[in-house]
Amino acid sequence: MEMISKHLGRYKNYTFPMGFTSAEVIDSLQSFEIRDSDLFLVTYPKSGTIWTQQIIISICELGGGLNKYPNNMETMPWLEYLWVKESYPNRPSPRLFSCHFIADLMPPQLKDKKAKIIYVMRNPKDNIVSYYHFSKICSDLETPKSFEDFLEDYLQGNVGSGSWFDHIRDWHSKRDQYNILFLSYEDMVLDLKTAVKKICTFLGKNLSEADVEKVVEKSTFKNMKEDPKANYQFLPEIMMKGVFMRKGNIGDWKNYLTVAQSERVDRLLQERLGDLSLKFIWE
Ligand code: A3P
């Protein structure tokens, strides 16, 4: 493993906060046994992970097949975290996991296409702003000196989970190898009900219209922020000295990025991902 900075390590083409994962954990996942009923939620950080967790958990609760744990983080634990209990892999089916990894670090048996993956992507400008704020409150991440400094690190991939551009390209270009549903944070903000229905169809959960409405209600920003199982305020202050659920909207980047910075992101997007058929919603 190569050390990139005080907080960041790099191993197998993946940059990660050393407080969260390690080369040993990464290697161990190569022999992680996949079950057909497993579901993995994969995201680049700050793309709506805990939101999608709440949606998935609410769907499984109403549609049957949810094993209950004290909160969403324990119900749908991150596969890569150092403190993941050894018992997690031995849980009863169906197992739900979250993960920020690039495709090559995932358990190889996922390529058998039996277990499911939901990948959520967020526009990079709002992602930058959300990540900047999160880096200020999360003790395992480097506290940014300024927004400009953070932007530079982000665009160079010197943040946890590496380059956003690489993450998107990696999962998008390998999507045919997996049983995967791609969603965007912006589509979820603009039409949560349709997103919930898409997830239901993908998971094979036949929810009534009334139950779909219940999932939508439980997953609105306002209701989730008040839900102690879902809002991550249960994390100890030593890890998180602020709120996880900050604004939850599209377009906050306009309050942070200068015109020049925004144009730089546009250029990079064109250079790095221009050949992919991706559409982004910016406001
Ligand atoms: P902001 O910082 O822009 O508010 P992740 O869970 O991947 O870390 O992503 C966190 C982002 O998702 C935060 O964005 C957070 O507010 C937003 N989020 C969480 N729950 C949400 C919800 N119910 N609706 C909209 N956004 C939500």
Side-chain angles (χ1 to χ4, degrees):
M1 190 195 68
E2 176 196 348
M3 276 189 61
I4 303 245
S5 66
K6 191 172 141 222
H7 290 270
L8 287 178
R10 191 168 165 82
Y11 184 62
K12 293 189 171 171
N13 287 328
Y14 183 70
T15 302
F16 55 87
M18 288 178 290
F20 285 138
T21 193
S22 67
E24 290 71 32
V25 172
I26 289 173
D27 281 341
S28 75
L29 290 177
Q30 288 303 302
S31 55
F32 187 95
E33 297 231 355
I34 294 295
R35 300 181 197 152
D36 293 358
S37 56
D38 288 342
L39 173 66
F40 292 80
L41 168 62
V42 183
T43 56
Y44 183 83
K46 313 321 291 172
S47 302
T49 325
I50 72 158
W51 186 14
T52 317
Q53 280 181 340
Q54 172 79 341
I55 297 171
I56 292 169
I57 289 168
S58 306
I59 290 173
C60 293
E61 199 164 15
L62 290 160
L66 182 73
N67 299 307
K68 292 215 175 177
Y69 298 91
N71 58 50
N72 284 3
M73 183 162 152
E74 291 194 47
T75 305
M76 202 155 182
W78 267 265
L79 199 60
E80 66 265 45
Y81 282 1
L82 287 169
W83 56 87
V84 163
K85 300 184 184 95
E86 278 179 15
S87 61
Y88 284 165
N90 301 322
R91 290 180 157 205
S93 299
R95 300 180 301 185
L96 304 174
F97 292 107
S98 309
C99 191
H100 289 318
F101 277 166
I102 50 173
D104 285 348
L105 303 191
M106 298 297 282
Q109 288 179 1
L110 274 169
K111 289 191 182 156
D112 293 343
K113 289 194 180 183
K114 287 175 183 153
K116 292 174 177 154
I117 300 176
I118 294 181
Y119 187 92
V120 183
M121 171 179 82
R122 187 176 191 183
N123 89 51
K125 296 179 193 176
D126 281 323
N127 186 254
I128 291 167
V129 172
S130 184
Y131 212 157
Y132 164 66
H133 284 283
F134 185 65
S135 302
K136 291 201 290 188
I137 63 164
C138 178
S139 50
D140 279 311
L141 302 180
E142 193 135 345
T143 308
K145 288 189 201 75
S146 64
F147 180 73
E148 290 68 34
D149 269 22
F150 180 80
L151 179 70
E152 212 47 55
D153 281 343
Y154 180 98
L155 294 179
Q156 300 202 8
N158 288 333
V159 291
S161 294
S163 155
W164 175 90
F165 300 94
D166 290 347
H167 209 278
I168 301 292
R169 172 171 286 287
D170 185 55
W171 277 101
H172 194 269
S173 61
K174 293 179 182 150
R175 66 194 185 286
D176 291 342
Q177 299 174 25
Y178 300 95
N179 184 3
I180 194 166
L181 172 70
F182 262 84
L183 296 171
S184 91
Y185 177 93
E186 292 75 26
D187 284 341
M188 286 161 60
V189 171
L190 295 176
D191 187 353
L192 182 52
K193 191 168 171 181
T194 298
V196 168
K197 286 184 170 177
K198 267 190 200 165
I199 297 177
C200 286
T201 305
F202 183 64
L203 299 184
K205 305 280 185 197
N206 196 6
L207 261 55
S208 66
E209 202 58 31
D211 280 349
V212 168
E213 285 297 344
K214 277 189 204 158
V215 175
V216 169
E217 269 307 292
K218 286 188 79 169
S219 311
T220 61
F221 187 81
K222 183 176 168 294
N223 289 343
M224 238 186 94
K225 205 174 162 73
E226 287 163 10
D227 182 345
K229 288 186 178 176
N231 63 14
Y232 278 65
Q233 292 304 112
F234 50 74
L235 290 176
E237 217 182 300
I238 189 163
M239 283 176 72
M240 200 72 61
K241 38 188 189 319
V243 292
F244 215 101
M245 298 191 58
R246 197 182 58 92
K247 283 199 175 167
N249 63 17
I250 311 172
D252 195 29
W253 62 270
K254 291 185 179 170
N255 299 315
Y256 291 86
L257 275 78
T258 62
V259 172
Q261 286 168 339
S262 166
E263 286 175 356
R264 185 171 167 211
V265 176
D266 291 337
R267 271 197 309 280
L268 277 170
L269 202 51
Q270 188 50 38
E271 278 167 33
R272 307 277 301 272
L273 301 180
D275 58 324
L276 308 181
S277 54
L278 296 172
K279 290 231 174 337
F280 291 98
I281 296 167
W282 301 105
E283 54 196 327

